[in-house]
Amino acid sequence: MTMITEQVDEKKLASNYRKVVDEIAKACEKSGRKQKDVTLVAVSKRHCLDCVRALAGLGHKDFGESYVQEAMEKMDQAPDLDVRWHFIGGLQSNKAKYVAGNFHLVHSLDSVKLAKELNKKAEALNTVQDVLIQVNLAGEEQKSGISEQELQDFIINVLENKKGLNPKGLMLMPPWDPDPEKTRPYFRQLRELRDRLAGETNLALPELSMGMSNDFIQAIEEGATMVRVGTSIFGERAY
Ligand SMILES: *Cc1c(COP(=O)(O)O)cnc(C)c1O
């Protein structure tokens, strides 16, 4: 995979961005939430570094990437950018060493093995990596994530003795449906699961990363603290 070259239409990008921010504000208002409690993670995977620069130029701070090599290249080429990089994609444990300590937040902690490798690297760097646990609520075979049944054990037995990892909350990739109202029950279920876990463990798990271009409004109404929006801001991706 190589870096992406594309023409950046700054006007279009700015208007897309304003529209998304506006919709977030409306969803917050509708559900009685504060806009500052919802972080927009602009998903820049498979979009060019100039796209990131253009959005950062509008004052945006949080960017999401899914591919280790592409993310590292962007970081290396733009050390001057004052942004927070989020790792949101599937991560093979043999690549954990590149990620730990380099990202503001890893959204996609989805296995015991990955926890072990991220922790090992974070401890070697003498740092603590903030992470979210990806939950597979629908039990979809093809999707990664910790099942609801395994989650409490994962938090108590796998994470509690890993000093290099700081679990901040949960992340969800629900089954795809073109109708976002069909996805809403999963968002609600993740929030309820978090509330239950926070009562049963000694972790607050304040962050809920859920909602993408198609359904971030519903996710916010159900309690998302982070939405991951790519296409609605940057347009279709290059593959
Ligand atoms: C690509 C991706 C997104 C963004 O999806 P859009 O539909 O383009 O908004 C969000 N979350 C994850 C985990 C992704 O891989």
Side-chain angles (χ1 to χ4, degrees), residues 200-214:
E200 289 165 355
T201 69
N202 53 16
L203 292 170
L205 302 169
E207 304 292 351
L208 292 175
S209 169
M210 55 189 194
M212 317 195 336
S213 288
N214 190 52

Side-chain angles (χ1 to χ4, degrees), residues 43 45 66 88-89 171 173 212-214 228-232 237:
V43 178
K45 67 171 182 214
S66 290
I88 65 169
M171 182 271 221
M173 284 276 275
M212 317 195 336
S213 288
N214 190 52
R228 311 176 307 266
V229 180
T231 311
S232 290
R237 283 179 283 275

Side-chain angles (χ1 to χ4, degrees), residues 41-45 47 64-67 87-90 107-108 134 171-173 176 209-216 227-237 239:
V41 178
V43 178
S44 48
K45 67 171 182 214
H47 282 287
E65 290 283 336
S66 290
Y67 307 104
F87 194 84
I88 65 169
H107 292 230
S108 45
Q134 184 172 347
M171 182 271 221
L172 180 67
M173 284 276 275
W176 164 253
S209 169
M210 55 189 194
M212 317 195 336
S213 288
N214 190 52
D215 50 21
F216 67 88
V227 291
R228 311 176 307 266
V229 180
T231 311
S232 290
I233 296 174
F234 295 110
E236 296 295 328
R237 283 179 283 275
Y239 278 101

Side-chain angles (χ1 to χ4, degrees), residues 12-235:
K12 177 83 179 138
L13 181 64
S15 86
N16 285 350
Y17 178 60
R18 267 197 303 273
K19 187 158 173 262
V20 170
V21 170
D22 206 48
E23 285 173 338
I24 290 173
K26 283 199 185 109
C28 285
E29 196 178 346
K30 187 177 165 195
S31 49
R33 303 189 55 206
K34 296 193 188 92
Q35 205 180 339
K36 71 165 177 55
D37 294 338
V38 179
T39 299
L40 170 59
V41 178
V43 178
S44 48
K45 67 171 182 214
R46 304 310 294 148
H47 282 287
C48 65
L49 181 57
D50 283 341
C51 303
V52 175
R53 283 194 183 282
L55 199 61
L58 299 174
H60 192 74
K61 288 274 185 278
D62 292 273
F63 289 86
E65 290 283 336
S66 290
Y67 307 104
V68 175
Q69 196 189 333
E70 181 188 337
M72 304 293 288
E73 284 179 23
K74 282 177 179 151
M75 287 180 188
D76 286 348
Q77 291 178 24
D80 55 304
L81 270 183
D82 176 25
V83 300
R84 290 182 287 264
W85 294 101
H86 296 243
F87 194 84
I88 65 169
L91 180 57
Q92 290 168 294
S93 48
N94 63 351
K95 291 192 177 160
K97 57 180 178 287
Y98 304 115
V99 168
N102 273 326
F103 287 81
H104 173 67
L105 179 66
V106 175
H107 292 230
S108 45
L109 173 55
D110 62 3
S111 74
V112 176
K113 197 164 174 219
L114 180 57
K116 186 165 163 255
E117 295 303 318
L118 281 173
N119 180 63
K120 192 163 93 185
K121 181 67 181 184
E123 286 192 332
L125 293 170
N126 207 5
T127 188
V128 177
Q129 175 66 59
D130 285 344
V131 295
L132 304 180
I133 305 159
Q134 184 172 347
V135 185
N136 187 348
L137 276 183
E140 290 175 284
E141 296 240 346
Q142 75 278 19
K143 265 196 200 144
S144 47
I146 308 289
S147 73
E148 189 174 351
Q149 294 72 29
E150 293 165 329
L151 194 53
Q152 189 172 346
D153 179 68
F154 186 79
I155 290 171
I156 293 175
N157 293 317
V158 179
L159 295 184
E160 281 216 327
N161 55 5
K162 292 195 169 44
K163 300 288 173 253
L165 300 181
N166 179 28
K168 301 272 287 181
L170 307 178
M171 182 271 221
L172 180 67
M173 284 276 275
W176 164 253
D177 196 297
D179 176 3
E181 289 304 327
K182 295 264 166 55
T183 317
R184 184 190 290 275
Y186 290 104
F187 296 145
R188 186 171 305 166
Q189 214 182 319
L190 193 75
R191 171 169 45 86
E192 290 170 354
L193 177 59
R194 187 278 310 279
D195 292 349
R196 204 161 71 234
L197 282 168
E200 289 165 355
T201 69
N202 53 16
L203 292 170
L205 302 169
E207 304 292 351
L208 292 175
S209 169
M210 55 189 194
M212 317 195 336
S213 288
N214 190 52
D215 50 21
F216 67 88
I217 291 171
Q218 286 75 11
I220 291 168
E221 288 172 3
E222 297 301 332
T225 64
M226 294 185 164
V227 291
R228 311 176 307 266
V229 180
T231 311
S232 290
I233 296 174
F234 295 110

